[in-house]
Amino acid sequence: MTRSVKLILGAWVLAIIAGIAWVGIEISGGAPSIGGPFTLVDHNGKRVTDQDFRGKPTVIYFGFAYCPDVCPTSLLLMQTGVDQLGPQAAAKVNLLFISVDPERDTPAALKEYVAQFGPTMVGLTGTQDQVAAAAKAFRVYYQKVPSKGGAPYLVDHSSIFYLMDRDFRFVKHFTHQAKAEDIARALKPLL
Ligand code: NI
């Protein structure tokens, strides 16, 4: 073989090895690491962890009660999706609203807030650190936006639904542009 042919072959071998290594990373990365252990406080003031939600599939949404439009629309969508599976379905699913605004979203405030969407929805809050850890586990972004002219501050946040199975393992996510039917369809086999 000429030197140039050897070089070309060598380059191919390197490219193939790199390709195999990449595929290996993709496979070992397999299930995306979304979700993880968290400790928060529910809307009755009780300390809860992710372990408390095992046994039923779970739909999670992160937001804040003062949110003017996206959060209310999203929580309504989450509740509607579950209700499409029948009148008893809500009792068989954990519907969690995790606050990214623990400063204002006290357990009492959340209790009143989530009750507007459905009787089984659970509001979760905690210390700043607890909320930050839960958000990190779900790769949720949030950032307080300073208020102008004395208006209440807002919290910029990602708007994603997370569907977890009965073992609290991540199944899939939806954006708030999903339809209630999409959520119902994904939830049905997990019931
Ligand atoms: Ni919001």
Side-chain angles (χ1 to χ4, degrees):
M1 278 191 278
T2 65
R3 189 163 177 273
S4 64
V5 169
K6 277 182 190 164
L7 278 175
I8 290 164
L9 280 175
W12 269 106
V13 168
L14 282 178
I16 289 165
I17 289 169
I20 290 167
W22 177 249
V23 169
I25 289 165
E26 289 284 290
I27 291 168
S28 66
S33 57
I34 292 178
F38 62 72
T39 301
L40 293 163
V41 177
D42 76 9
H43 65 222
N44 291 315
K46 185 175 157 248
R47 178 186 178 275
V48 292
T49 74
D50 51 298
Q51 299 291 319
D52 293 308
F53 301 105
R54 286 175 182 243
K56 293 178 187 179
T58 298
V59 190
I60 306 172
Y61 186 81
F62 287 75
F64 66 112
Y66 274 77
C67 185
D69 47 19
V70 178
C71 287
T73 310
S74 299
L75 294 180
L76 189 61
L77 176 65
M78 180 162 96
Q79 184 69 49
T80 308
V82 175
D83 289 343
Q84 285 192 353
L85 293 171
Q88 307 304 319
K92 297 174 189 159
V93 179
N94 298 310
L95 293 176
L96 307 185
F97 176 61
I98 303 182
S99 174
V100 291
D101 183 17
E103 195 178 323
R104 289 180 299 196
D105 288 342
T106 60
L110 280 184
K111 186 172 187 169
E112 201 173 306
Y113 183 69
V114 295
Q116 297 174 48
F117 300 96
T120 63
M121 198 177 287
V122 176
L124 298 176
T125 186
T127 64
Q128 297 280 0
D129 286 349
Q130 286 173 332
V131 165
K136 192 179 176 200
F138 285 86
R139 303 185 196 172
V140 165
Y141 154 85
Y142 65 101
Q143 178 75 51
K144 194 169 161 178
V145 183
S147 61
K148 286 177 200 147
Y153 65 84
L154 296 176
V155 184
D156 194 16
H157 65 94
S158 39
S159 181
I160 306 276
F161 300 98
Y162 299 91
L163 181 58
M164 314 298 282
D165 69 10
R166 289 161 171 264
D167 295 318
F168 213 77
R169 284 179 309 214
F170 174 76
V171 178
K172 68 182 293 185
H173 75 273
F174 303 91
T175 70
H176 62 243
Q177 283 157 333
K179 293 188 172 60
E181 301 85 78
D182 300 333
I183 294 175
R185 201 179 303 121
L187 205 45
K188 199 173 180 183
L190 302 177
L191 287 175

